[in-house]
């Protein structure tokens, strides 16, 4: 299997917030890897913009260091040093204030006509409106321009609608790329290939054959470095409303007529609109406590009274013909046992067992692992080998990409690499449309309102030990239905 790199036409990319954490850790290393792979041509221009006083030479040094520290497999060998020299030659820097006049005329003079121009808003969301306005004022918001907007996209429905309206004043929907980097993950796209490229699964993909679906996004880190933001957001806003909802959409949607932006996004939107409101009994909020020499959440964010959740689990129902009767269990949290994210489709028991009870009963589970070791595994029941009579045992049909494709082929691009290249190619399939984001908030807001009446008096979430699977109540959410969460295991 040979992976193909199709070079893109030279383009101009402006990174607002070019000195920030996201630019340093993700955006710039991703661009470097695409350059080294031969996808980005050397007459492309990448322009960093921020208020910090520095010249282009200093920003080039900053970027070179970011690449050494954060580009995956940065080897430091001669070939890489040459690639890095070539890459930094494409870089320019402009001292610019998003909400003032500084730097805008200079930027307008740098970006060219007749090529794709992308503007990456890697700054605090309160600056998104000012950036859109200034780009328009300085003649950079025309049809060849695209803007890339980072999360969070609002903190509720009203603020997301306001932000959509603000951006729409100067950019039409086809120019706006709302990033959810989960959609750029290889396995997430493979989920669509597995579902819609094979005859095998789709006939079984409904409530008649699927007992339930569980989605887990577990992190071991705490709120490191993002305490202020996180304490105002919490797990429901930071993860559930976007990443987990997107995964839910892809697993539950109807086959789109074509693999194109609007047909795919139309189907995802229908899933969100078919979700029943979450009942308070089906929602568990947790907050990690101190223990094992680790600081607890409240200590971490410096707010001894914080009632923000660092963990949330819920049971969701989709009211449509395909899924009525099949529950979806979703959970995400920080400081959990392992860093492990997966979707598990748990099929029903066979209608009748022809084997003795001694043989045991097993269920087929299709597991889509997002991290670590991206891959897909199907648990199949077979006879235990040997002379011990008919005993059944589960064996995994394992499609770990690194094993199935070999390490080189499985060295696929990081989510940011793929998504930035999609922006340049003008492909919005893996980006959220404005109505999708609003529908997701319209579903999340009432759930949040069950604990947060807006008066700052939300009840405290349930404490859970660092390194655990979250609060016991989350386990009970499934046990009371006679089901179990899968173990959180890397
Ligand atoms: P950050 O480290 O605080 O960086 C912010 C950047 O914005 C800096 O380069 C800063 O440089 C620049 N900036 C601030 N005010 C400005 C102004 N008035 N005009 C021009 N530039 C200005 O933030 P970040 O972590 O990179 O996050 C950037 C965006 O990505 C945010 O929307 C965040 O929510 C989102 N995001 C970040 C992560 C992550 O892992 N970091 C993950 C997901 C989403 P100066 O101070 O020099 O101007």
């Amino acid at each position: 299997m040979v992976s193909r790199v199709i070079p893109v036409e030279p383009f101009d990319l402006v990174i607002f917030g070019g000195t920030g954490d996201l630019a340093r850790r993700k955006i710039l290393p991703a661009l470097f890897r695409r350059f080294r792979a031969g996808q980005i041509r050397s007459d492309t221009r990448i322009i960093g913009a921020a208020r910090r006083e520095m010249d282009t030479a200093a920003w080039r040094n900053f970027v070179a260091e970011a690449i050494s520290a954060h580009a995956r497999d940065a080897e430091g060998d001669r070939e890489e040093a040459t690639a890095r020299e070539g890459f930094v030659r494409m870089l320019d820097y402009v001292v610019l204030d998003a909400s003032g006049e500084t730097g805008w005329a200079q930027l307008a003079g740098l970006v060219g006509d007749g090529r794709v121009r992308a503007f990456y808003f890697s700054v605090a969301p309160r600056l998104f409106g000012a950036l859109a306005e200034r780009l328009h004022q300085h003649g950079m918001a025309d049809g060849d321009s695209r803007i890339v907007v980072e999360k969070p996209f609002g903190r509720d429905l009203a603020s997301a609608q306001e932000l959509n309206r603000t951006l729409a004043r100067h950019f039409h929907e086809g120019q706006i790329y709302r990033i959810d980097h989960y959609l750029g993950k290889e396995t997430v796209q493979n989920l669509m290939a597995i579902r819609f490229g094979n005859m095998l699964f789709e006939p079984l993909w409904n409530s008649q054959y699927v007992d339930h679906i569980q989605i887990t996004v577990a992190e071991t880190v705490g709120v490191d470095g993002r305490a202020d933001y996180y304490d105002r957001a919490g797990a429901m806003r930071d993860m559930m409303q976007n990443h987990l909802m997107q995964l839910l959409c892809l697993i539950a949607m109807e086959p789109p007529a074509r693999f194109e932006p609007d047909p795919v996004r139309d189907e995802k939107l229908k899933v969100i609109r078919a979700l029943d409101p979450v009942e308070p009994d089906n929602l568990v909020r947790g907050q990690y406590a101190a223990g094992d020499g680790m600081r607890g959440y409240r200590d971490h964010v410096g707010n001894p009274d914080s009632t923000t959740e660092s963990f949330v689990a819920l049971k969701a129902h989709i009211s449509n013909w395909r899924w009525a009767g099949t529950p979806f269990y979703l959970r995400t949290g920080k400081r959990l046992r392992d860093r492990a994210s997966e979707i598990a489709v748990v099929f029903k028991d066979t209608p009748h067992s022809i084997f003795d009870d001694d043989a045991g009963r097993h269920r087929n589970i299709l597991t889509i692992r997002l991290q670590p070791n991206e891959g897909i595994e199907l648990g199949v029941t077979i006879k235990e080998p040997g002379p011990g009579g008919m005993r059944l045992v589960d064996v995994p049909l394992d499609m770990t990409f690194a094993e199935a494709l070999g390490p080189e082929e499985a060295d696929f691009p990081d989510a940011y690499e793929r998504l930035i290249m999609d922006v340049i190619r003008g492909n919005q399939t893996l980006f959220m449309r404005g109505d999708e984001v609003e529908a997701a908030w319209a579903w999340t807001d009432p759930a949040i309102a069950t604990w947060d009446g807006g008066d700052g008096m939300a009840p405290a979430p349930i404490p859970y030990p660092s390194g655990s699977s979250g609060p016991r109540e989350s386990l009970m959410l499934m046990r009371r239905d006679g089901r179990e969460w899968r173990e959180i295991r890397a």
Side-chain angles (χ1 to χ4, degrees), residues 262-449:
D262 279 336
V264 170
R265 298 187 297 180
D266 288 345
E267 295 306 334
K268 282 161 54 193
L269 180 61
K270 284 188 212 161
V271 173
I272 306 176
R273 291 196 172 146
L275 279 164
D276 289 347
V278 186
E279 291 168 18
D281 280 357
N282 288 336
L283 189 60
V284 177
R285 299 169 66 234
Q287 192 184 64
Y288 62 84
D292 267 355
M294 305 268 239
R295 291 154 72 199
Y297 176 86
R298 291 176 176 191
D299 187 20
H300 230 146
V301 297
N303 177 3
D305 302 318
S306 174
T307 57
T308 301
E309 77 285 355
S310 59
F311 175 98
V312 67
L314 59 83
K315 177 161 84 162
H317 289 283
I318 300 173
S319 283
N320 63 16
W321 273 46
R322 186 187 283 265
W323 293 119
T326 296
F328 288 73
Y329 300 90
L330 280 62
R331 68 178 163 171
T332 180
K334 293 192 173 293
R335 275 283 153 79
L336 295 176
R337 165 169 309 182
D338 249 328
R339 177 171 175 265
S341 301
E342 66 167 38
I343 304 169
V345 181
V346 181
F347 289 91
K348 289 188 173 172
D349 291 334
T350 51
H352 163 71
S353 175
I354 62 167
F355 306 109
D356 293 345
D357 286 350
D358 288 354
R361 290 195 80 169
H362 297 263
R363 283 179 160 183
N364 300 122
I365 302 179
L366 180 71
T367 312
I368 297 115
R369 272 194 316 271
L370 309 179
Q371 65 191 17
N373 307 327
E374 287 193 65
I376 293 174
E377 185 182 292
L378 177 64
V380 177
T381 303
I382 59 162
K383 176 191 170 297
E384 194 179 80
M390 179 57 87
R391 285 183 207 285
L392 304 182
V393 65
D394 274 345
V395 291
L397 291 183
D398 192 341
M399 292 167 267
T400 303
F401 299 147
E403 282 168 25
L405 305 176
E408 265 180 35
E409 290 301 330
D411 179 28
F412 28 71
D414 158 90
Y416 277 89
E417 294 176 50
R418 172 173 300 108
L419 293 174
I420 296 171
M421 288 299 97
D422 278 357
V423 172
I424 304 305
R425 284 186 290 243
N427 185 345
Q428 289 184 305
T429 310
L430 301 175
F431 295 83
M432 293 176 295
R433 209 168 53 193
D435 51 2
E436 245 186 283
V437 179
E438 290 183 13
W441 280 120
W443 183 74
T444 321
D445 276 1
I448 292 173

Side-chain angles (χ1 to χ4, degrees), residues 465-479:
S466 286
S468 70
S469 302
R472 202 175 154 273
E473 284 72 0
S474 147
L475 306 182
M476 296 315 295
L477 184 71
M478 289 198 72
R479 277 192 193 149

Side-chain angles (χ1 to χ4, degrees), residues 17-22 25 50-52 96-99 122-125 127-128 150-152:
T19 56
D21 177 65
L22 187 71
R25 284 191 308 111
R51 291 168 307 176
R52 196 193 301 180
L96 175 142
D97 185 353
S99 44
S122 183
V123 294
L127 296 172
F128 291 172
E150 265 296 337
K151 84 167 199 186

Side-chain angles (χ1 to χ4, degrees), residues 1 20 50 60 71 136 139 155 186 222 288 324 387 396 423-424 430 440 452-453:
M1 220 175 304
R60 287 179 175 180
H136 166 71
R155 60 172 278 110
E186 187 71 20
Y288 62 84
V423 172
I424 304 305
L430 301 175
D452 181 357

